[in-house]
Amino acid sequence: MARLRLPALLYPDASELVEDMTSPDVLVLGGGMAGLCAAIEAREAGARVLLVEESPAWRRGGNARHARNMREPHEEPTPFSPRTYPRAELVEDLYRISAGLGDPDLIETVARHAHGLSDWLIARGVALQFPEEGVLPHSRKTVFFLGGGTAMIRALYREAERLGVRILFEAEARTVDLNGRTEVLHAGRVLNIRPGATVVCSGGYQANRKWLQESWGRAAHHLVLRGTKYAMGGPLRDLLDQGVASSGEPGFGHLVAVDARSPKWDGGIVTRVEGVQYGIAVTASGRRFFDEGKDVASTRYGTWGRMALETSGQLAWAIMDARAAAHFPSPVYPPIEAPTLEELAPVIHMDPQVLAGEVREYNSILGAEPDGRRRRLEPPRTRPAPYVVKPPFRAVPFRPGITFTCYGLKVDSRARVMRLDGYPCETVFAAGMIMAPGVLGRGYVSGAALMVAAVFGRIAGRNAARLRGHGLLLPGTRS
Ligand SMILES: Cc1cc2nc3c(=O)[nH]c(=O)nc-3n(C[C@H](O)[C@H](O)[C@H](O)COP(=O)(O)OP(=O)(O)OC[C@H]3O[C@@H](n4cnc5c(N)ncnc54)[C@H](O)[C@@H]3O)c2cc1C
């Protein structure tokens, strides 16, 4: 039996430890929002739970570390969310965004169980933001975490540890079979874990460039990963290869425009690019390529992320003049600045004649120039459209940043993973982004990811715990 070196505090008794490690009642793969909710629910139901997480402890929590808010329906105003957001409206929202790809059973399940999520989290130590005390937007449809997603994740890990969930960090689930038997690589050794039930919560595959390349070609290498670098999709791929049914569509992901100078991964929310609509957007060769005023709503980050994906080299620039800065807060990376467009262009590797000419043409057609010509802008520009005239001129480079992929496992309303033959895997459950495409399709609205992760994490954990000692072995699966 492999000997494990683990923190004494979490694992007080060695013999108990070995048993919990090799044959827990419930094995949870992935320690993000979905995995934590699953582990806590299963433990509260009396199961011996092992949670396996690939990241080191200091980087734990998956993408929830970067999150701010969670969607939650409520029929009455709550201290954390004004007015009402009836369940029926949530159902409508989910049908609209999933555009026919959301499974009606799963949508109804989310809507039914999302009510009361805040209370569940608060009872486990998570603090929420009172709207009147914070700097965050007043939201009827979502609640905000006090201290952000990192504080929320810390509270849930604290609770899981307090309850006695065994947690193994720096442990990668390598293979998972249809009975949930899993090979985990930890400290250079392979552990064979034979749980009563398994909950797969390892997220999407947005960090896996090779896989993304299958749909997006070379563009996949120019995407900025907004969150965890551990989202390689190993368990997802392994289960799909064994004949598990899928949900969502390969080749789609949630994109937003992020500063091209962002870190390759884990840049989080602060790297989003703001203010494109206050100037013009050009390709790396200095040409306008999209109507900057077309989307000025909260969906604009996504619109610019998708547009940046379409550009050559997946690199675009927001060009603004001195007045634009007054419209939005200081960005995390300072814009590149110069007194004239001709001086700005070489700094950002553009032809000065092309950039200055493009801006001159734009201003001229808008009517700012004395010649007063009125020609059609191509691409058109929805008004009001600001002129780009007042020095100094500023440039911000942006690329598509990927938040999560929209292709995953199909589950039923009990969170059981479905096989291609239409039967569920009785002992394998999935929760979070690995099955969320079955609810959200290719769409997204703020706070929906955490809502789905929490709802299905809890359902999966509870149902997995019920199987204690009754694990079924499916015929014909890998031994
Ligand atoms: C910048 C940013 C901001 C966001 N803001 C919001 C927001 O405000 N509201 C909202 O609802 N959503 C938001 N999201 C999305 C949301 O955070 C995620 O969709 C959600 O946290 C997914 O949770 P999950 O547990 O399913 O997956 P993940 O968070 O991806 O967690 C999966 C975990 O599994 C681990 N793992 C992966 N593979 C393995 C393996 N083979 N073995 C062991 N462990 C493995 C990973 O290390 C990770 O910890 C945001 C995402 C980002 C990137």
Side-chain angles (χ1 to χ4, degrees), residues 31-37 59-69 145 147-154 156-157 206 226-228 266 403 433 449-450 453-454:
M33 179 66 158
L36 283 165
C37 292
R59 216 172 197 143
R60 64 194 179 171
N63 282 337
R65 287 178 306 132
H66 299 296
R68 305 190 306 172
N69 59 343
F145 304 113
T150 306
M152 186 260 298
I153 280 296
R154 281 199 193 124
L156 292 182
Y157 265 102
Q206 59 274 8
R226 302 180 68 213
T228 174
D266 264 342
T403 322
M433 284 332 280
L450 288 183

Side-chain angles (χ1 to χ4, degrees), residues 29-35 52-55 61-64 66-70 171-173 201-204 206 226-228 230-232 235 268-269 403-404 431-434 444 446-451 453:
L29 303 179
M33 179 66 158
V52 165
E53 166 56 50
E54 191 174 351
S55 75
N63 282 337
H66 299 296
R68 305 190 306 172
N69 59 343
M70 182 187 71
E172 180 196 354
C201 303
S202 46
Q206 59 274 8
R226 302 180 68 213
T228 174
Y230 300 103
M232 295 295 286
I269 197 168
T403 322
F404 49 74
M433 284 332 280
I434 197 169
Y444 186 65
S446 69
L450 288 183
M451 172 182 67

Side-chain angles (χ1 to χ4, degrees), residues 201-476:
C201 303
S202 46
Y205 59 96
Q206 59 274 8
N208 190 330
R209 307 271 168 180
K210 255 187 158 167
W211 193 346
L212 294 179
Q213 196 176 349
E214 288 173 18
S215 314
W216 290 347
R218 286 201 51 74
H221 296 277
H222 299 142
L223 296 173
V224 175
L225 182 59
R226 302 180 68 213
T228 174
K229 66 173 179 175
Y230 300 103
M232 295 295 286
L236 169 61
R237 188 71 160 217
D238 200 26
L239 286 164
L240 289 173
D241 286 349
Q242 291 170 70
V244 157
S246 64
S247 64
E249 275 187 68
F252 287 89
H254 179 262
L255 298 176
V256 303
V258 297
D259 196 303
R261 297 164 290 180
S262 308
K264 275 192 172 160
W265 61 79
D266 264 342
I269 197 168
V270 292
T271 63
R272 278 192 314 195
V273 161
E274 185 55 279
V276 186
Q277 72 270 32
Y278 299 116
I280 64 167
V282 295
T283 60
S285 56
R287 302 284 184 199
R288 285 184 64 240
F289 62 102
F290 188 64
D291 177 355
E292 296 86 351
K294 189 165 180 181
D295 185 359
V296 294
S298 61
T299 44
R300 63 187 179 277
Y301 306 107
T303 299
W304 284 108
R306 286 190 298 280
M307 292 318 299
L309 182 71
E310 301 297 316
T311 62
S312 151
Q314 288 65 54
L315 177 66
W317 293 83
I319 307 288
M320 296 169 247
D321 73 3
R323 294 170 309 179
H327 293 285
F328 52 90
S330 304
V332 70
Y333 298 102
I336 298 160
E337 204 173 279
T340 65
L341 289 162
E342 285 78 2
E343 287 165 280
L344 181 65
V347 184
I348 60 176
H349 309 290
M350 277 180 208
D351 181 332
Q353 300 312 317
V354 173
L355 179 64
E358 191 77 359
V359 172
R360 207 175 312 116
E361 171 90 345
Y362 165 87
N363 287 333
S364 154
I365 294 179
L366 282 183
E369 295 297 319
D371 68 7
R373 282 174 296 160
R374 293 285 192 279
R375 282 173 285 127
R376 237 179 81 77
L377 268 171
E378 194 48 56
R381 168 78 204 219
T382 302
R383 302 189 185 223
Y387 304 121
V388 181
V389 286
K390 187 167 185 228
F393 295 94
R394 301 192 164 120
V396 176
F398 63 95
R399 287 192 184 279
I402 185 159
T403 322
F404 49 74
T405 41
C406 302
Y407 180 55
L409 303 176
K410 183 173 164 66
V411 298
D412 66 7
S413 58
R414 289 159 66 182
R416 293 178 302 183
V417 167
M418 299 300 292
R419 303 191 317 193
L420 277 175
D421 61 13
Y423 290 96
C425 300
E426 294 290 345
T427 60
V428 183
F429 300 79
M433 284 332 280
I434 197 169
M435 49 63 65
V439 180
L440 304 173
R442 308 193 308 244
Y444 186 65
V445 277
S446 69
L450 288 183
M451 172 182 67
V452 174
V455 164
F456 271 93
R458 293 189 57 198
I459 291 174
R462 217 162 35 235
N463 286 328
R466 284 204 185 113
L467 291 179
R468 272 188 299 154
H470 306 292
L472 300 173
L473 284 188
L474 298 171

